[in-house]
Structure formats: structure tokens, C-alpha cells
Amino acid sequence: MPEPWPWLTLGAITLLGTLVTLGLVRWMILRPLARTVDWIRRLRAGERTDPVILPKGDLFAPLAHEVSRLAHYWLAARAAAEEEARLRHAGESRWTPERLKEQARSVLQGRALLVVANREPYLHQRQGRQLQCVVPASGLVTAIEPILRACGGTWVAHGSGEADRETADAQGRLRVPPDEPAYTLRRVWLTPEEEGGYYYGFSNEGLWPLCHIAHTRPIFRADDWTHYAAVNQRFADAALDEIAETRDPYLLIQDYHFALLPRLIKEKRPDARIALFWHIPWPNPEAFGICPWARELLHGMLGADLLGFHTQFHCNNFLETVDRTLECRIDHELFAINRAGHTAWVKPFPISVAWDAEAPAADPAKTLGRKAAALAQLGVSAEWLGVGVDRVDYTKGIAERFRAIERFFEKYPARHGTFTFLQLGAPSRTLIKRYHDLGQELEAEADRINRRFQTRAWKPIVFQHRHHSHHDILPCYRAADVCLVTSLHDGMNLVAKEFVAARADERGVLVLSQFAGASRDLPDALLVNPYDLDQVAEAIHYALTMDPAEQRERMVRMRTAVQERNVYRWAAELLTALSRLRTGPEPAPVPVEGRG
Ligand code: ADQ
């Protein structure tokens, strides 16, 4: 008879093993599966619920991660569909990223789309040993990206990030956005001399002051022009390379950096539909005429099928400038310019900002708390808060704004100690002396005015001379009683519209320069001439004492305007107008028998 012990031991071990295995299966497989199934069921039932997060190293963690991502996209798609349905039901015609995507798809019908802009939508920087992908704060990226995300395509831009080369292939290409690749970014490499001549020189010391009437003399150097023309050719080569395998591609070219590009591309690819959008003002013919290369610039631009500006006034100036400078046939009724058999159509497209349809209506009572927190953070004690947000640029009228605030305190001594103005100023183009000096000038001007009026607990102006994220800027917009936009000249000015979009509490007053394109879209702002310091000072006083009902009425009307004409509508209208143009040679007139 064998001893019973070994059998008993074996039996016990087997039982224990089975129990442990069952426990493990239950703990590691069945439990997470049951949680995931329950979560998916609740999602399907329309409950908003947090995703299942499994501990690192868990067998199902990668699966749960992927399912969570899938659910995230599904939720976003459902929210968009619900929003679309809601808008259709309400008979509204609000533009959303989803609606833009649909429109872009139906316009393009599978044809290639190419965007050319100096600024890239993603740039790579080094942070210690790590590479960091940065999305520059830019209205252009907000406007154009949804189209490329929806339809694919290519964005050609100057590769300006310090780690850009390491993250692109030999042709300078990479797929973006990094976490959800949808389109190609093609980076064009420039030498420091090329960048100096094309970007800092001709574009920003020449064309920028030429197009803005801000009393800063443009500087035109022959070397800069040579670089400008050569870099335009470099971008044209890259664009032609990208559309080589396609038929009837669409090109959206952005801004004054690329005036020569439309012609360079059209000559090689007459089948391409080309739009050039000019983001800055167009001056009158006399002002533009001082540019030694005025004819070349206009000839280059007229290679486009569609030329877009922010306002009708800029379109009028452009037509008149062409009329006085080049030999061509102009249809003043249709805003069409025919030069050597090719027609370019000129049209206004007022750019705007994104509109967050999800943002809940804010409680005005909370605005007071926000303002108190903002003032405490600035270390001042005051009753009212004003805000200004700009790139430090002489066209933005920041020095004039500071002097108008000084005038306000001269005129209204009772307001000393009660109003503080916060100026966020992002350093910009600092390699150009005029811009470098302006930063210092503004700091000195703020100090001078502060010394005149400040007390121990209060000062009139807080100037924060650095870049801020949109996350930092938003609370300032929301806390302010008044926002000052006093550009001496501005194509549109997105800050004015950002301020309005941020005021879900329907409070706050916008003081806006009559020389900014935005003044056409926002007549309910307090419109001022920024050179008239007394008028701006009075506008500040009026804003701070405005009856809350009037404040609300004005803000509600401005919010409706920005919501209806948001940036998605801008992009959709540009693309749709381009698709509807008749391109190619003009049709011959109907022949009449017997007439030669
Ligand atoms: P910009 O002259 O750059 O654009 P603007 O329209 O005012 O001017 O837009 C500036 C953007 O930069 C805004 O989104 C703003 O929030 C951001 N910004 C400003 N100050 C900042 C700071 N301190 N830190 C971080 N971000 C800051 C050109 C034309 C305009 C035209 C736009 C779009 O000159 O007239 O409206 O293009 O076409």
C-alpha cells in the first residue's frame, strides 16, 4: 500500500494551484473585462463616465488605453453630430469645425490641398535632452488646421524650430499632428542670411511698414529683395514638388511673405487653383507706390485666382493700386483683374476666432471674484481692471495707449488708486532694431507714468513684457472691466474678437481703434481714434461708468457677430469661393453671322 501522504500533498497542491489560477483569472482577466464592458455599456447608454484606468503593467492596460482613445473619438464625434443636429433643428447657420470639415470635403472632392505659410503649425524645440513639440499661438493655425485635419494635404512652412531637422525626413517632411497624424508638414530650410533678407528684411522692415500707415518708414534694400525673390522661388519649388503627382490641386497661400508665389506656381501649373490671403492692410496707391519693386509684387500676386483681404476697403485700395501701376483690364463691378489672359478675383474675407460652442454661460457675479483674484496676483489694490494683449509692435499703438491712460488720470484725479491697466506684451521680431527699441521704450513709458501717480498699494500700469499662453490670457480677458485695442493700423485684430468670445458673462467693454479691420465687424465697441488721447481717455471713463444694461446690450450684439462670423466660416468661405471661380482662358464671345 502506498503511503497516502504524497497523494494528499499532491491533491492539496493541485487544489491550491487551481484556486490561485481561478483567483488570478478572476482578478486579472474577468474583473478588468467586466469593468470595461460595464463602462462601454454605460457609454452606449449616453452616460458621461470616466474611462477605465488599469494599473500600469496590467495585462489589459494597453487594450484599455486603445479602447479609451476609441471612446474619446466616438464621444467627440457624437457631440459634434448632436451639435450639428441641434443647429439644423434651430435653423441656425453657425459654423463649427465639423461643418467646416464637411464643406471642405465636398469642395475638394478628393483633390489635393496645399497650404503655404511662413509659420509652421508644429515646431520642435529642445528642452534639456528631450524634444518638445510646440504649437505656436496663431489665428492662422486655428483657421486652417481643421481643413487639413479633415481632408489631409500638406502645409509648407519655414522650419524654424531648433530641433526641426531632427524630427523631419530628408525632404523635410513629417506627419502631424504628432499624436494623430492627418496631414504632412513640409519644412523648408533657410540659411540665416536668407531668413535675415526675406523675413526680417524685405517682409518686416519693408512690406510691413509699407502696408501699415503707422509713420514708420519702410526700409528697402536690394539685397533683401534678392533674398525675398529667391526664398519665394524656394517655396514655389517645394510646393510644386508636393503637387507633382496631383491634378487640379488647391493652394491656400498666406500673407505678405509670399507675394511672388502665385505667379511662380501658376506659370508651371495652370491647373492649380490658387488663393492668396493678405492678413495685413492694403494701403492707398500713393503709399504702396514708394516700393521700388511695386510692379513685380503686383505681377506676382495677380498669378492667383483669388486674392483675399480682411475688408472691402483693403480690396478697393488694391484694385486702385493695380489700376495705377500695371497694364491690365479691371472689372470694377465684379472686382476682377485680367492681366495677359489670366483673371484674379478680389474679395473680402474677414478673419475671426474659434467659438467654443460648449462654453457654458458664465455667471456675472463670479466676474467680481475673478477680478479680485487677478488684481491680488498683480499685487495691486484697485476697483477696476483694464487689459491689453499684443505682440510688441509699433502698429499696435501701445505707447499711445499708455499716454491715453496718463491723460485719463490727469482728467479724472478722483480715479487715482481705482483703475489698473494690465498690458501683456509678447516680444516680437526682436532682431529688428525698431522692435528691440520699442520694448525698452514701452517699459520706460510705463515706469514714467507709474512714477507720476503710483501709491504704496497701487499703480496705474502693469506691463508684463513676455509671451503668455492662451491659458494665461483667458482669465485676464474674463476678469477685465475694459479691453483696450488701440492699433494705429491693423488688418483685423484678433484680440478684440478673443475678448468678446471670452465674455460668456456678457459683461466688459471693448475700446477699439477705428483703424483696425475689426471695427467694421464690431460697431458696438467704443470706437476711437488712437492718436486722439483725449478721446481714448474719455472712452476709458465712459467704459468704467457704463450702465450694466448698456454694457450687456453691446456685448450681446458683439458676441452674436463673432459667433456667426467665426474662423470656421472664414476658412469655409475662402475655400468655397476658390472652388466656384471660373479659371482658365476667358470664353470667346458668341459669334454673330456677317460680323468680322
Ligand atoms: P497679428 O498682428 O499678430 O496678426 P492679432 O490679430 O492681434 O495680430 O493677433 C495676435 C495673436 O497673438 C492673438 O491671438 C493674441 O492672443 C496673441 N497674443 C498677443 N499678445 C500675446 C502675448 N503677450 N502672449 C501670447 N500671445 C499673445 C496679423 C494681422 C492682424 C490679423 C491677423 C490674422 O496683423 O491684423 O488680425 O494677422 O489675420
Side-chain angles (χ1 to χ4, degrees):
M1 278 282 283
E3 286 256 351
W5 282 113
W7 292 109
L8 274 178
T9 315
L10 199 62
I13 289 172
T14 310
L15 185 66
L16 193 67
T18 310
L19 286 175
V20 169
T21 311
L22 280 176
L24 280 176
V25 166
R26 192 179 151 77
W27 181 255
M28 294 186 63
I29 300 179
L30 295 180
R31 218 175 86 110
L33 265 184
R35 278 176 61 197
T36 310
V37 167
D38 178 54
W39 175 63
I40 292 174
R41 191 179 299 128
R42 280 192 288 150
L43 266 186
R44 193 160 44 80
E47 263 181 63
R48 284 206 166 252
T49 158
D50 291 335
V52 180
I53 297 173
L54 299 179
K56 261 202 170 128
D58 188 290
L59 197 61
F60 285 95
L63 184 65
H65 177 68
E66 285 308 316
V67 173
S68 298
R69 280 174 65 105
L70 201 66
H72 168 76
Y73 295 129
W74 180 73
L75 278 177
R78 191 164 76 174
E82 280 170 4
E83 174 66 5
E84 283 305 304
R86 192 186 67 73
L87 293 179
R88 262 198 300 275
H89 184 249
E92 293 177 80
S93 58
R94 303 258 157 89
W95 281 88
T96 62
E98 283 312 308
R99 187 164 167 207
L100 168 60
K101 280 182 192 175
E102 283 309 314
Q103 178 72 3
R105 278 198 198 108
S106 96
V107 161
L108 288 169
Q109 305 269 337
R111 284 179 289 241
L113 174 66
L114 199 88
V115 170
V116 185
N118 177 66
R119 177 89 63 92
E120 51 184 342
Y122 296 91
L123 58 86
H124 284 90
Q125 283 176 341
R126 199 165 277 296
Q127 217 181 31
R129 290 196 179 165
Q130 305 265 313
L131 291 184
Q132 198 192 16
C133 182
V134 181
V135 181
S138 145
L140 191 70
V141 177
T142 314
I144 303 280
E145 243 224 339
I147 315 181
L148 284 167
R149 277 185 184 239
C151 307
T154 305
W155 184 312
V156 182
H158 171 210
S160 58
E162 56 181 349
D164 271 2
R165 280 182 195 261
E166 293 156 63
T167 43
D169 69 11
Q171 276 73 43
R173 291 197 187 105
L174 67 155
R175 297 284 293 166
V176 291
D179 57 342
E180 214 182 307
Y183 66 94
T184 301
L185 169 59
R186 164 90 184 250
R187 288 171 172 159
V188 174
W189 312 119
L190 300 179
T191 63
E193 293 73 39
E194 283 172 329
E195 192 183 358
Y198 138 82
Y199 178 75
Y200 290 106
F202 195 75
S203 295
N204 286 319
E205 285 189 289
L207 287 179
W208 179 269
L210 180 74
C211 291
H212 289 91
I213 311 296
H215 309 284
T216 289
R217 264 176 92 134
I219 301 174
F220 294 116
R221 305 180 191 93
D223 277 358
D224 289 348
W225 167 250
T226 307
H227 280 304
Y228 183 83
V231 169
N232 268 245
Q233 184 63 61
R234 292 274 300 282
F235 273 81
D237 293 343
L240 289 167
D241 191 21
E242 294 297 329
I243 56 174
E245 307 295 324
T246 67
R247 284 185 55 194
D248 308 326
Y250 277 54
L251 277 89
L252 301 180
I253 301 173
Q254 307 298 320
D255 234 352
Y256 59 100
H257 312 93
F258 298 118
L260 306 182
L261 209 55
R263 177 76 55 189
L264 293 171
I265 293 175
K266 198 68 168 184
E267 275 171 357
K268 293 272 165 36
R269 290 293 303 267
D271 64 319
R273 278 182 186 257
I274 304 176
L276 169 64
F277 190 80
W278 200 260
H279 289 259
I280 61 178
W282 191 275
N284 61 46
E286 290 77 17
F288 193 78
I290 68 167
C291 175
W293 296 280
R295 290 176 61 84
E296 287 84 343
L297 289 167
L298 293 173
H299 178 67
M301 291 173 77
L302 291 176
D305 300 292
L306 181 62
L307 290 161
F309 296 90
H310 289 301
T311 68
Q312 185 61 51
F313 185 63
H314 300 155
C315 295
N316 299 351
N317 278 348
F318 181 76
L319 228 67
E320 230 184 293
T321 307
V322 173
D323 205 6
R324 297 241 201 125
T325 319
L326 293 179
E327 307 71 44
C328 52
R329 193 153 43 82
I330 299 186
D331 185 327
H332 287 272
E333 226 171 278
L334 296 178
F335 272 73
I337 304 168
N338 189 288
R339 180 161 162 84
H342 172 70
T343 304
W345 307 79
V346 181
K347 214 173 141 41
F349 298 91
I351 205 169
S352 189
V353 295
W355 184 269
D356 184 2
E358 305 262 297
D363 178 1
K366 290 197 179 145
T367 308
L368 284 177
R370 282 201 196 101
K371 181 164 66 175
L375 287 165
Q377 215 175 22
L378 299 178
V380 289
S381 119
E383 196 180 326
W384 287 300
L385 177 67
V387 70
V389 179
D390 307 79
R391 281 186 307 100
V392 171
D393 191 303
Y394 52 86
T395 60
K396 301 293 178 185
I398 307 171
E400 289 74 6
R401 190 178 309 166
F402 287 177
R403 282 176 217 132
I405 292 167
E406 179 180 29
R407 190 81 194 101
F408 166 73
F409 286 116
E410 285 168 358
K411 289 183 119 175
Y412 297 99
R415 302 291 176 203
H416 290 188
T418 65
F419 172 65
T420 288
F421 181 72
L422 168 63
Q423 175 65 51
L424 309 184
S428 172
R429 306 172 190 169
T430 44
L431 293 184
I432 298 175
K433 188 171 180 313
R434 176 77 175 89
Y435 282 80
H436 176 265
D437 293 351
L438 178 66
Q440 294 184 342
E441 245 174 67
L442 293 179
E443 282 180 20
E445 200 59 348
D447 285 348
R448 180 186 66 74
I449 296 166
N450 281 340
R451 276 196 304 275
R452 265 192 83 183
F453 301 105
Q454 72 191 10
T455 62
R456 276 167 67 95
W458 169 80
K459 57 178 167 176
I461 299 174
V462 177
F463 178 33
Q464 294 188 346
H465 189 188
R466 61 186 156 83
H467 184 83
H468 292 74
S469 70
H470 270 254
H471 184 75
D472 299 331
I473 296 174
L474 196 61
C476 302
Y477 285 146
R478 289 191 172 149
D481 295 287
V482 56
C483 175
L484 300 187
V485 174
T486 55
S487 313
L488 304 182
H489 202 189
D490 218 329
M492 176 53 70
N493 193 289
L494 293 178
V495 170
K497 293 188 175 181
E498 285 170 6
F499 174 67
V500 169
R503 297 313 295 252
D505 63 348
E506 299 171 346
R507 292 294 154 84
V509 181
L510 175 64
V511 173
L512 176 59
S513 163
Q514 67 190 80
F515 306 126
S519 65
R520 306 291 190 282
D521 298 344
L522 302 173
D524 281 291
L526 297 182
L527 298 183
V528 292
N529 171 355
Y531 293 93
D532 184 345
L533 302 188
D534 278 280
Q535 191 193 27
V536 179
E538 287 303 337
I540 297 171
H541 181 250
Y542 187 62
L544 299 183
T545 51
M546 191 187 283
D547 175 53
E550 181 183 349
Q551 220 180 91
R552 189 171 170 274
E553 271 168 36
R554 286 176 182 264
M555 186 51 84
V556 167
R557 281 198 293 264
M558 289 196 286
R559 284 175 63 77
T560 307
V562 176
Q563 188 176 20
E564 282 177 358
R565 293 213 67 94
N566 63 18
V567 75
Y568 308 117
R569 178 161 171 184
W570 173 82
E573 286 185 350
L574 186 64
L575 206 55
T576 309
L578 184 60
S579 75
R580 292 192 178 151
L581 295 180
R582 181 173 45 71
T583 58
E586 282 185 70
V590 179
V592 178
E593 220 172 299
R595 281 196 210 149

